Amino acid sequence: VVLAGWSAFIWGQLGVGPKPATFDAIVALGIDRRRIVQMVKTLFQIDTSFPIELREDVSLWPFVLHSVASAFMWYEYHQTHHYVGKVILRLQQCVKEEFSINPRQAHDQLVTWSRALYKRFDADNIHMRGRWVEESEFQRYEAMQKELKSLKESNQSLRAKISSMNTKFDILIKTLTGSSLVPSSLSPAQNTITTGPIVSTSLVPMSSSTASTQTNADSN
């Protein structure tokens, strides 16, 4: 949430990472930092019972400031789209109490800060826009690699199917002809079955009686 969706660098990639929202843009508008700190304490109800790591000037205090700055930055967007209604009301209440203004004035003040914070945040992370393009190209390359691998696997599968069909075709030819004269090395184009009666290629010689009968039949 604090980094507004910016992801970490991919393994092996170096560069300047994302920068979280800060209150510098509000300070530039003339708002004293002490008042900002007081609003943060009011928003989170920070007192002596609060975890010491999250208190002012302790280890996690910068994280607290970035979190609240992010909430202020997205105020206009969330208010317009009716998101996190309780947070919106709480921000308005904090500003109203700190500056002693009415709810409408508090809303207008928050909108001004929201725009200033986002403008600063966008400028601080302008270098990340180019990273989107780089990641997009990298993802496109990975997609092409996967597609190529899939095509190779499909090609190998198709070759295996063709080989299996050739083997079955050879067996079918041998069964229909009743001989083993059809070589298995013939290509599919050569192993073509033509229509018409199947002529036996048996090499067994006819007997003399069978030959005589065949001769008489031919004479008639």
Side-chain angles (χ1 to χ4, degrees):
V1 173
V2 175
L3 297 180
W6 296 113
S7 59
F9 285 114
I10 61 175
W11 177 257
Q13 182 179 353
L14 301 177
V16 180
K19 296 181 180 180
T22 69
F23 282 112
D24 293 343
I26 294 181
V27 174
L29 295 177
I31 306 300
D32 186 81
R33 283 189 181 275
R34 295 309 307 174
R35 306 196 77 168
I36 295 174
V37 170
Q38 186 56 47
M39 283 191 296
V40 172
K41 290 181 177 181
T42 301
L43 182 66
F44 281 168
Q45 298 179 339
I46 298 177
D47 52 25
T48 55
S49 64
F50 208 68
I52 189 171
E53 296 84 359
L54 297 173
R55 297 182 193 176
E56 185 178 3
D57 298 328
V58 190
S59 58
L60 294 180
W61 180 246
F63 169 75
V64 175
L65 292 177
H66 291 318
S67 299
V68 179
S70 180
F72 275 74
M73 180 179 70
W74 292 110
Y75 171 83
E76 183 178 22
Y77 179 85
H78 289 160
Q79 197 274 337
T80 302
H81 293 82
H82 307 288
Y83 295 153
V84 291
K86 292 183 179 180
V87 175
I88 295 299
L89 292 176
R90 184 61 179 159
L91 290 173
Q92 292 174 353
Q93 182 181 1
C94 290
V95 174
K96 182 179 67 173
E97 293 178 0
E98 181 61 33
F99 292 90
S100 300
I101 54 181
N102 61 50
R104 181 61 192 179
Q105 291 172 323
H107 167 73
D108 293 340
Q109 186 68 76
L110 281 166
V111 169
T112 300
W113 291 351
S114 176
R115 294 174 181 176
L117 285 165
Y118 186 83
K119 185 177 181 180
R120 177 62 179 268
F121 176 80
D122 190 54
D124 287 343
N125 289 282
I126 192 68
H127 61 284
M128 301 299 291
R129 296 183 183 276
R131 181 180 161 201
W132 274 350
V133 177
E134 293 174 4
E135 288 184 348
S136 176
E137 293 297 329
F138 180 76
Q139 292 169 356
R140 187 180 304 173
Y141 171 78
E142 282 191 327
M144 291 177 64
Q145 288 288 89
K146 291 180 181 179
E147 184 177 359
L148 180 60
K149 181 180 179 181
S150 176
L151 288 174
K152 287 182 178 180
E153 292 176 351
S154 298
N155 187 36
Q156 291 175 354
S157 175
L158 183 60
R159 286 176 178 272
K161 289 181 179 180
I162 292 176
S163 177
S164 176
M165 290 178 64
N166 281 341
T167 300
K168 294 178 180 179
F169 195 75
D170 288 344
I171 295 174
L172 179 61
I173 289 295
K174 291 175 183 179
T175 301
L176 292 175
T177 58
S179 73
S180 59
L181 296 180
V182 180
S184 60
S185 60
L186 288 178
S187 64
Q190 293 171 306
N191 287 338
T192 303
I193 301 176
T194 57
T195 59
I198 298 176
V199 181
S200 174
T201 57
S202 174
L203 301 180
V204 179
M206 293 184 296
S207 62
S208 57
S209 60
T210 303
S212 176
T213 304
Q214 183 65 39
T215 303
N216 293 335
D218 292 341
S219 299
N220 294 332

